[in-house]
mmCIF file of all heavy atoms in Angstrom:
data_model
loop_
_atom_site.group_PDB
_atom_site.id
_atom_site.type_symbol
_atom_site.label_atom_id
_atom_site.label_comp_id
_atom_site.label_asym_id
_atom_site.label_seq_id
_atom_site.Cartn_x
_atom_site.Cartn_y
_atom_site.Cartn_z
ATOM 1 N N GLU A 356 22.997 -2.464 46.049
ATOM 2 C CA GLU A 356 23.225 -1.867 44.728
ATOM 3 C C GLU A 356 24.011 -2.816 43.811
ATOM 4 O O GLU A 356 23.607 -3.140 42.721
ATOM 5 C CB GLU A 356 23.994 -0.548 44.868
ATOM 6 C CG GLU A 356 23.172 0.582 45.482
ATOM 7 C CD GLU A 356 21.915 0.915 44.682
ATOM 8 O OE1 GLU A 356 21.979 0.834 43.447
ATOM 9 O OE2 GLU A 356 20.880 1.228 45.303
ATOM 10 N N GLY A 357 25.159 -3.295 44.308
ATOM 11 C CA GLY A 357 25.971 -4.211 43.493
ATOM 12 C C GLY A 357 25.840 -5.611 44.039
ATOM 13 O O GLY A 357 24.838 -5.938 44.687
ATOM 14 N N ASN A 358 26.859 -6.429 43.836
ATOM 15 C CA ASN A 358 26.792 -7.798 44.337
ATOM 16 C C ASN A 358 27.414 -7.952 45.716
ATOM 17 O O ASN A 358 27.341 -9.017 46.321
ATOM 18 C CB ASN A 358 27.487 -8.749 43.354
ATOM 19 C CG ASN A 358 26.573 -9.052 42.182
ATOM 20 O OD1 ASN A 358 25.369 -8.832 42.273
ATOM 21 N ND2 ASN A 358 27.148 -9.519 41.092
ATOM 22 N N GLU A 359 28.036 -6.853 46.191
ATOM 23 C CA GLU A 359 28.661 -6.923 47.514
ATOM 24 C C GLU A 359 27.598 -7.196 48.572
ATOM 25 O O GLU A 359 26.516 -6.629 48.518
ATOM 26 C CB GLU A 359 29.299 -5.573 47.829
ATOM 27 C CG GLU A 359 30.803 -5.572 47.677
ATOM 28 C CD GLU A 359 31.339 -4.171 47.816
ATOM 29 O OE1 GLU A 359 31.264 -3.618 48.911
ATOM 30 O OE2 GLU A 359 31.804 -3.642 46.772
ATOM 31 N N GLY A 360 27.885 -8.038 49.497
ATOM 32 C CA GLY A 360 26.929 -8.300 50.574
ATOM 33 C C GLY A 360 25.909 -9.369 50.203
ATOM 34 O O GLY A 360 25.135 -9.810 51.037
ATOM 35 N N ILE A 361 25.880 -9.777 48.944
ATOM 36 C CA ILE A 361 24.931 -10.827 48.544
ATOM 37 C C ILE A 361 25.624 -12.180 48.670
ATOM 38 O O ILE A 361 26.714 -12.370 48.122
ATOM 39 C CB ILE A 361 24.432 -10.603 47.092
ATOM 40 C CG1 ILE A 361 23.736 -9.248 47.016
ATOM 41 C CG2 ILE A 361 23.510 -11.730 46.642
ATOM 42 C CD1 ILE A 361 23.194 -8.898 45.667
ATOM 43 N N PRO A 362 25.022 -13.127 49.400
ATOM 44 C CA PRO A 362 25.669 -14.435 49.558
ATOM 45 C C PRO A 362 25.919 -15.106 48.209
ATOM 46 O O PRO A 362 25.140 -14.904 47.269
ATOM 47 C CB PRO A 362 24.647 -15.240 50.372
ATOM 48 C CG PRO A 362 23.637 -14.281 50.840
ATOM 49 C CD PRO A 362 23.734 -13.030 50.048
ATOM 50 N N GLU A 363 26.969 -15.884 48.162
ATOM 51 C CA GLU A 363 27.369 -16.534 46.907
ATOM 52 C C GLU A 363 26.225 -17.330 46.278
ATOM 53 O O GLU A 363 26.077 -17.389 45.063
ATOM 54 C CB GLU A 363 28.538 -17.468 47.191
ATOM 55 C CG GLU A 363 29.470 -17.584 46.010
ATOM 56 C CD GLU A 363 30.727 -18.327 46.407
ATOM 57 O OE1 GLU A 363 31.399 -17.917 47.373
ATOM 58 O OE2 GLU A 363 30.984 -19.333 45.756
ATOM 59 N N ASP A 364 25.403 -17.936 47.161
ATOM 60 C CA ASP A 364 24.298 -18.766 46.661
ATOM 61 C C ASP A 364 23.320 -17.993 45.799
ATOM 62 O O ASP A 364 22.561 -18.584 45.034
ATOM 63 C CB ASP A 364 23.524 -19.351 47.851
ATOM 64 C CG ASP A 364 24.353 -20.382 48.580
ATOM 65 O OD1 ASP A 364 25.100 -21.099 47.908
ATOM 66 O OD2 ASP A 364 24.244 -20.448 49.816
ATOM 67 N N LEU A 365 23.284 -16.668 45.964
ATOM 68 C CA LEU A 365 22.307 -15.873 45.217
ATOM 69 C C LEU A 365 22.945 -15.124 44.045
ATOM 70 O O LEU A 365 22.301 -14.293 43.407
ATOM 71 C CB LEU A 365 21.617 -14.857 46.138
ATOM 72 C CG LEU A 365 20.737 -15.414 47.257
ATOM 73 C CD1 LEU A 365 20.049 -14.290 48.002
ATOM 74 C CD2 LEU A 365 19.695 -16.369 46.708
ATOM 75 N N LEU A 366 24.203 -15.397 43.773
ATOM 76 C CA LEU A 366 24.861 -14.690 42.671
ATOM 77 C C LEU A 366 24.578 -15.398 41.339
ATOM 78 O O LEU A 366 24.335 -16.610 41.311
ATOM 79 C CB LEU A 366 26.370 -14.623 42.918
ATOM 80 C CG LEU A 366 26.789 -13.718 44.081
ATOM 81 C CD1 LEU A 366 28.306 -13.759 44.278
ATOM 82 C CD2 LEU A 366 26.325 -12.271 43.860
ATOM 83 N N PRO A 367 24.594 -14.625 40.230
ATOM 84 C CA PRO A 367 24.280 -15.232 38.935
ATOM 85 C C PRO A 367 25.219 -16.381 38.565
ATOM 86 O O PRO A 367 26.387 -16.355 38.937
ATOM 87 C CB PRO A 367 24.475 -14.071 37.943
ATOM 88 C CG PRO A 367 24.455 -12.833 38.746
ATOM 89 C CD PRO A 367 24.877 -13.194 40.124
ATOM 90 N N GLY A 368 24.660 -17.355 37.854
ATOM 91 C CA GLY A 368 25.468 -18.465 37.360
ATOM 92 C C GLY A 368 24.869 -19.796 37.759
ATOM 93 O O GLY A 368 23.942 -19.849 38.570
ATOM 94 N N PRO A 369 25.404 -20.885 37.174
ATOM 95 C CA PRO A 369 24.890 -22.220 37.534
ATOM 96 C C PRO A 369 25.507 -22.697 38.848
ATOM 97 O O PRO A 369 26.644 -22.362 39.158
ATOM 98 C CB PRO A 369 25.373 -23.093 36.369
ATOM 99 C CG PRO A 369 26.496 -22.358 35.736
ATOM 100 C CD PRO A 369 26.424 -20.903 36.131
ATOM 101 N N THR A 370 24.751 -23.431 39.644
ATOM 102 C CA THR A 370 25.287 -24.054 40.854
ATOM 103 C C THR A 370 24.844 -25.513 40.812
ATOM 104 O O THR A 370 24.118 -25.909 39.898
ATOM 105 C CB THR A 370 24.707 -23.421 42.138
ATOM 106 O OG1 THR A 370 23.318 -23.744 42.198
ATOM 107 C CG2 THR A 370 24.888 -21.918 42.177
ATOM 108 N N GLU A 371 25.227 -26.263 41.845
ATOM 109 C CA GLU A 371 24.809 -27.681 41.794
ATOM 110 C C GLU A 371 23.297 -27.830 41.963
ATOM 111 O O GLU A 371 22.703 -28.823 41.570
ATOM 112 C CB GLU A 371 25.561 -28.506 42.834
ATOM 113 C CG GLU A 371 25.203 -28.130 44.249
ATOM 114 C CD GLU A 371 26.031 -28.877 45.274
ATOM 115 O OE1 GLU A 371 27.141 -28.404 45.609
ATOM 116 O OE2 GLU A 371 25.548 -29.917 45.726
ATOM 117 N N ARG A 372 22.639 -26.804 42.557
ATOM 118 C CA ARG A 372 21.193 -26.930 42.814
ATOM 119 C C ARG A 372 20.336 -26.238 41.769
ATOM 120 O O ARG A 372 19.159 -26.512 41.641
ATOM 121 C CB ARG A 372 20.857 -26.322 44.161
ATOM 122 C CG ARG A 372 21.555 -26.982 45.305
ATOM 123 C CD ARG A 372 21.158 -26.325 46.585
ATOM 124 N NE ARG A 372 21.716 -27.030 47.712
ATOM 125 C CZ ARG A 372 22.867 -26.706 48.286
ATOM 126 N NH1 ARG A 372 23.574 -25.691 47.841
ATOM 127 N NH2 ARG A 372 23.313 -27.393 49.316
ATOM 128 N N GLY A 373 20.927 -25.277 41.087
ATOM 129 C CA GLY A 373 20.100 -24.542 40.133
ATOM 130 C C GLY A 373 20.914 -23.530 39.364
ATOM 131 O O GLY A 373 22.143 -23.630 39.289
ATOM 132 N N TYR A 374 20.216 -22.555 38.785
ATOM 133 C CA TYR A 374 20.870 -21.576 37.930
ATOM 134 C C TYR A 374 20.213 -20.237 38.227
ATOM 135 O O TYR A 374 18.985 -20.115 38.189
ATOM 136 C CB TYR A 374 20.637 -21.979 36.464
ATOM 137 C CG TYR A 374 21.590 -21.387 35.454
ATOM 138 C CD1 TYR A 374 22.098 -22.174 34.423
ATOM 139 C CD2 TYR A 374 21.966 -20.053 35.494
ATOM 140 C CE1 TYR A 374 22.971 -21.663 33.470
ATOM 141 C CE2 TYR A 374 22.847 -19.533 34.556
ATOM 142 C CZ TYR A 374 23.348 -20.334 33.541
ATOM 143 O OH TYR A 374 24.195 -19.818 32.609
ATOM 144 N N ILE A 375 21.047 -19.238 38.545
ATOM 145 C CA ILE A 375 20.497 -17.899 38.784
ATOM 146 C C ILE A 375 20.911 -16.991 37.630
ATOM 147 O O ILE A 375 22.079 -16.980 37.223
ATOM 148 C CB ILE A 375 20.983 -17.338 40.137
ATOM 149 C CG1 ILE A 375 20.371 -18.190 41.262
ATOM 150 C CG2 ILE A 375 20.575 -15.862 40.304
ATOM 151 C CD1 ILE A 375 20.741 -17.801 42.652
ATOM 152 N N VAL A 376 19.950 -16.257 37.073
ATOM 153 C CA VAL A 376 20.249 -15.323 35.981
ATOM 154 C C VAL A 376 19.682 -13.951 36.351
ATOM 155 O O VAL A 376 18.807 -13.841 37.200
ATOM 156 C CB VAL A 376 19.627 -15.767 34.633
ATOM 157 C CG1 VAL A 376 20.274 -17.003 34.101
ATOM 158 C CG2 VAL A 376 18.121 -15.957 34.750
ATOM 159 N N GLU A 377 20.209 -12.917 35.671
ATOM 160 C CA GLU A 377 19.692 -11.572 35.939
ATOM 161 C C GLU A 377 18.432 -11.304 35.122
ATOM 162 O O GLU A 377 17.607 -10.481 35.486
ATOM 163 C CB GLU A 377 20.775 -10.538 35.650
ATOM 164 C CG GLU A 377 21.937 -10.663 36.621
ATOM 165 C CD GLU A 377 22.900 -9.498 36.571
ATOM 166 O OE1 GLU A 377 22.949 -8.801 35.531
ATOM 167 O OE2 GLU A 377 23.606 -9.285 37.575
ATOM 168 N N TRP A 378 18.281 -11.964 33.977
ATOM 169 C CA TRP A 378 17.083 -11.816 33.157
ATOM 170 C C TRP A 378 17.019 -13.005 32.215
ATOM 171 O O TRP A 378 18.014 -13.340 31.572
ATOM 172 C CB TRP A 378 17.128 -10.497 32.365
ATOM 173 C CG TRP A 378 15.786 -10.102 31.808
ATOM 174 C CD1 TRP A 378 15.410 -10.163 30.507
ATOM 175 C CD2 TRP A 378 14.659 -9.596 32.528
ATOM 176 N NE1 TRP A 378 14.108 -9.726 30.373
ATOM 177 C CE2 TRP A 378 13.627 -9.368 31.598
ATOM 178 C CE3 TRP A 378 14.400 -9.328 33.877
ATOM 179 C CZ2 TRP A 378 12.372 -8.882 31.958
ATOM 180 C CZ3 TRP A 378 13.157 -8.831 34.235
ATOM 181 C CH2 TRP A 378 12.168 -8.609 33.282
ATOM 182 N N ALA A 379 15.888 -13.647 32.151
ATOM 183 C CA ALA A 379 15.768 -14.879 31.347
ATOM 184 C C ALA A 379 14.910 -14.632 30.100
ATOM 185 O O ALA A 379 14.100 -13.709 30.082
ATOM 186 C CB ALA A 379 15.100 -15.955 32.202
ATOM 187 N N PRO A 380 15.062 -15.482 29.092
ATOM 188 C CA PRO A 380 14.123 -15.417 27.958
ATOM 189 C C PRO A 380 12.835 -16.139 28.391
ATOM 190 O O PRO A 380 12.648 -17.305 28.085
ATOM 191 C CB PRO A 380 14.858 -16.173 26.848
ATOM 192 C CG PRO A 380 15.832 -17.070 27.554
ATOM 193 C CD PRO A 380 16.098 -16.514 28.910
ATOM 194 N N GLN A 381 11.990 -15.435 29.147
ATOM 195 C CA GLN A 381 10.914 -16.107 29.898
ATOM 196 C C GLN A 381 10.005 -16.987 29.055
ATOM 197 O O GLN A 381 9.655 -18.090 29.441
ATOM 198 C CB GLN A 381 10.095 -15.068 30.673
ATOM 199 C CG GLN A 381 8.972 -15.700 31.488
ATOM 200 C CD GLN A 381 8.484 -14.810 32.597
ATOM 201 O OE1 GLN A 381 9.265 -14.382 33.432
ATOM 202 N NE2 GLN A 381 7.209 -14.537 32.614
ATOM 203 N N GLU A 382 9.604 -16.461 27.893
ATOM 204 C CA GLU A 382 8.677 -17.279 27.081
ATOM 205 C C GLU A 382 9.323 -18.599 26.676
ATOM 206 O O GLU A 382 8.685 -19.647 26.697
ATOM 207 C CB GLU A 382 8.295 -16.520 25.819
ATOM 208 C CG GLU A 382 7.144 -15.585 26.020
ATOM 209 C CD GLU A 382 6.803 -14.911 24.729
ATOM 210 O OE1 GLU A 382 6.591 -15.603 23.713
ATOM 211 O OE2 GLU A 382 6.789 -13.672 24.728
ATOM 212 N N GLN A 383 10.603 -18.525 26.300
ATOM 213 C CA GLN A 383 11.288 -19.763 25.887
ATOM 214 C C GLN A 383 11.491 -20.694 27.083
ATOM 215 O O GLN A 383 11.388 -21.906 26.956
ATOM 216 C CB GLN A 383 12.634 -19.427 25.243
ATOM 217 C CG GLN A 383 12.488 -18.915 23.827
ATOM 218 C CD GLN A 383 13.726 -18.145 23.412
ATOM 219 O OE1 GLN A 383 13.881 -16.967 23.724
ATOM 220 N NE2 GLN A 383 14.623 -18.827 22.729
ATOM 221 N N VAL A 384 11.770 -20.096 28.230
ATOM 222 C CA VAL A 384 11.949 -20.912 29.438
ATOM 223 C C VAL A 384 10.655 -21.658 29.751
ATOM 224 O O VAL A 384 10.643 -22.874 29.972
ATOM 225 C CB VAL A 384 12.373 -20.014 30.636
ATOM 226 C CG1 VAL A 384 12.238 -20.772 31.950
ATOM 227 C CG2 VAL A 384 13.802 -19.516 30.450
ATOM 228 N N LEU A 385 9.538 -20.925 29.743
ATOM 229 C CA LEU A 385 8.266 -21.566 30.095
ATOM 230 C C LEU A 385 7.876 -22.643 29.075
ATOM 231 O O LEU A 385 7.191 -23.611 29.407
ATOM 232 C CB LEU A 385 7.156 -20.512 30.208
ATOM 233 C CG LEU A 385 7.258 -19.594 31.443
ATOM 234 C CD1 LEU A 385 6.271 -18.430 31.335
ATOM 235 C CD2 LEU A 385 7.010 -20.364 32.736
ATOM 236 N N ALA A 386 8.335 -22.458 27.838
ATOM 237 C CA ALA A 386 7.991 -23.447 26.804
ATOM 238 C C ALA A 386 8.946 -24.641 26.824
ATOM 239 O O ALA A 386 8.740 -25.619 26.099
ATOM 240 C CB ALA A 386 8.039 -22.779 25.428
ATOM 241 N N HIS A 387 9.986 -24.568 27.645
ATOM 242 C CA HIS A 387 11.005 -25.636 27.643
ATOM 243 C C HIS A 387 10.470 -26.893 28.351
ATOM 244 O O HIS A 387 9.836 -26.793 29.402
ATOM 245 C CB HIS A 387 12.270 -25.146 28.344
ATOM 246 C CG HIS A 387 13.463 -25.978 28.043
ATOM 247 N ND1 HIS A 387 13.662 -27.220 28.603
ATOM 248 C CD2 HIS A 387 14.514 -25.763 27.217
ATOM 249 C CE1 HIS A 387 14.797 -27.730 28.142
ATOM 250 N NE2 HIS A 387 15.337 -26.855 27.300
#
Side-chain angles (χ1 to χ4, degrees):
E356 289 301 324
N358 281 342
E359 256 172 68
I361 300 180
E363 211 171 305
D364 291 324
L365 295 184
L366 291 178
T370 67
E371 67 184 87
R372 299 180 174 94
Y374 200 138
I375 293 179
V376 292
E377 294 192 337
W378 196 253
Q381 181 160 304
E382 275 182 53
Q383 283 160 278
V384 166
L385 288 170
H387 197 285

